[in-house]
Amino acid sequence: MARNLWIGKPGLLREITQAAKSWDRSPELNVTEFKSLEGQITTVAPARTARRLKFSWDWLEPADADHLTRLARRVNGPGMLGRNVYAGGSVVVLDPASVNLLDPYQAAGQSRETAGLDHWFTVQGAITISPFVDDVVLGSCDDPTTRIGWRHPVWPGWPVMPGMRVSWLVPPDWNAGLCSAQLDWKDVDGGYLATSFANGATVTGTAPGNAAFVTPVGGPGATGLTGLAGACLTIGEEPVSLALGEGCPAMAVTGCTDTPASRLPYRNVGIDLVEVTGAVL
């Protein structure tokens, strides 16, 4: 399941089982070079850059081609009535090459906010996020029943579809004999549906019917300072501690090609996407 592309609006993802003819996920670094008269080089680069994805298929099945074309043309398809589409015209892309779906900085235990509210929130009990210590943030728990949730930057959780197998691994420095891991399943409007829970560092659950999002939650099970780096959220794969966070950003379609194949009704389709904070329809 994880090795195929899933793409669509939240709650209405479609699995594209046909392998792409070409697939480009090269990072866009946006590094600018300045060369002095003496020949010395100075570079300027933003702290964060947007991700871009490009896919193309030959002889794509008509139903898959229609789905991609609807996304590109921003035409709501069947099942969209009453659905919350979030962030305007943003699109979900579950990249089959991504292992850890956490944000890169989130997976590394780093935050742009002192309180860490961009990446974490308190589900139960209390935790105080400390300033950076050795380039990471730490949490201070005063209550052993504290539960910490990992926050998606755009949606109420990470996008899923019913039947998906999701695994969650809490930070590796948590005591495996005391900690707990859970997955909170939510519907397309962010309403709570159910929880998959396990004592220990990892939990695996299957998305229930009507599930559109999942929020990973962990309980350190002890008081005192606790690290937040190294957690891993995967779909259909075993989670790997300290895996690079690839994220699961909201994306927008910026380009699309759609030409009839030599044998109808198949089509040759290409689609370009870019990471966005919102996409206005």
Side-chain angles (χ1 to χ4, degrees), residues 120-127 139-150 168-184 195-203 215-228 231:
W120 302 280
F121 65 97
T122 302
V123 176
Q124 176 181 310
I127 183 170
S140 177
C141 293
D142 298 325
D143 184 345
T145 67
T146 293
R147 299 285 186 274
I148 307 162
W150 270 248
W168 166 236
L169 177 68
V170 300
D173 62 350
W174 289 12
N175 187 325
L178 299 174
C179 69
S180 61
Q182 71 185 62
L183 296 167
D184 287 347
T195 291
S196 298
F197 177 86
N199 289 312
T202 186
V203 62
T215 295
V217 177
T223 59
L225 290 177
T226 184
L228 295 173

Side-chain angles (χ1 to χ4, degrees), residues 1-7 15-19 94-97:
M1 178 178 291
R3 290 305 179 184
N4 290 330
L5 171 70
W6 287 80
I7 185 171
E15 183 180 17
I16 309 297
T17 58
Q18 181 175 326
L94 295 181
D95 181 345

Side-chain angles (χ1 to χ4, degrees), residues 14-278:
R14 183 178 181 87
E15 183 180 17
I16 309 297
T17 58
Q18 181 175 326
K21 178 188 70 172
S22 65
W23 175 13
D24 187 354
R25 61 196 304 269
S26 304
E28 185 176 81
L29 302 182
N30 291 330
V31 177
T32 303
E33 293 187 12
F34 298 93
K35 187 174 183 179
S36 69
L37 294 176
E38 292 80 13
Q40 295 176 325
I41 301 293
T42 300
T43 61
V44 177
R48 298 191 63 136
T49 58
R51 291 182 60 183
R52 292 185 182 273
L53 294 172
K54 294 183 178 182
F55 300 94
S56 68
W57 294 265
D58 283 347
W59 290 52
L60 190 61
E61 292 284 346
D64 290 340
D66 285 347
H67 179 74
L68 297 176
T69 302
R70 283 183 180 275
L71 293 176
R73 297 179 63 189
R74 299 175 293 281
V75 178
N76 288 342
M80 288 300 296
L81 183 62
R83 293 294 183 113
N84 189 337
V85 296
Y86 293 100
S90 60
V91 173
V92 176
V93 180
L94 295 181
D95 181 345
S98 294
V99 174
N100 191 354
L101 296 180
L102 297 182
D103 175 274
Y105 290 90
Q106 191 177 42
Q110 300 174 355
S111 172
R112 289 170 290 176
E113 300 181 9
T114 301
L117 296 179
D118 54 339
H119 293 323
W120 302 280
F121 65 97
T122 302
V123 176
Q124 176 181 310
I127 183 170
T128 302
I129 305 297
S130 72
F132 287 100
V133 177
D134 293 333
D135 202 33
V136 297
V137 297
L138 296 176
S140 177
C141 293
D142 298 325
D143 184 345
T145 67
T146 293
R147 299 285 186 274
I148 307 162
W150 270 248
R151 188 191 306 277
H152 192 280
V154 178
W155 298 302
W158 276 258
V160 295
M161 286 293 285
M164 279 186 173
R165 178 178 170 271
V166 180
S167 295
W168 166 236
L169 177 68
V170 300
D173 62 350
W174 289 12
N175 187 325
L178 299 174
C179 69
S180 61
Q182 71 185 62
L183 296 167
D184 287 347
W185 307 102
K186 301 174 181 178
D187 63 21
V188 73
D189 294 312
Y192 172 80
L193 292 174
T195 291
S196 298
F197 177 86
N199 289 312
T202 186
V203 62
T204 296
T206 300
N210 295 324
F213 300 104
V214 64
T215 295
V217 177
T223 59
L225 290 177
T226 184
L228 295 173
C232 183
L233 180 68
T234 66
I235 294 179
E237 301 285 336
E238 291 301 316
V240 179
S241 178
L242 301 173
L244 172 67
E246 301 249 20
C248 178
M251 308 198 83
V253 179
T254 58
C256 181
T257 59
D258 185 351
T259 59
S262 57
R263 180 182 174 187
L264 295 176
Y266 300 101
R267 282 142 61 188
N268 302 329
V269 177
I271 191 169
D272 301 347
L273 303 109
V274 66
E275 178 182 350
V276 294
T277 55

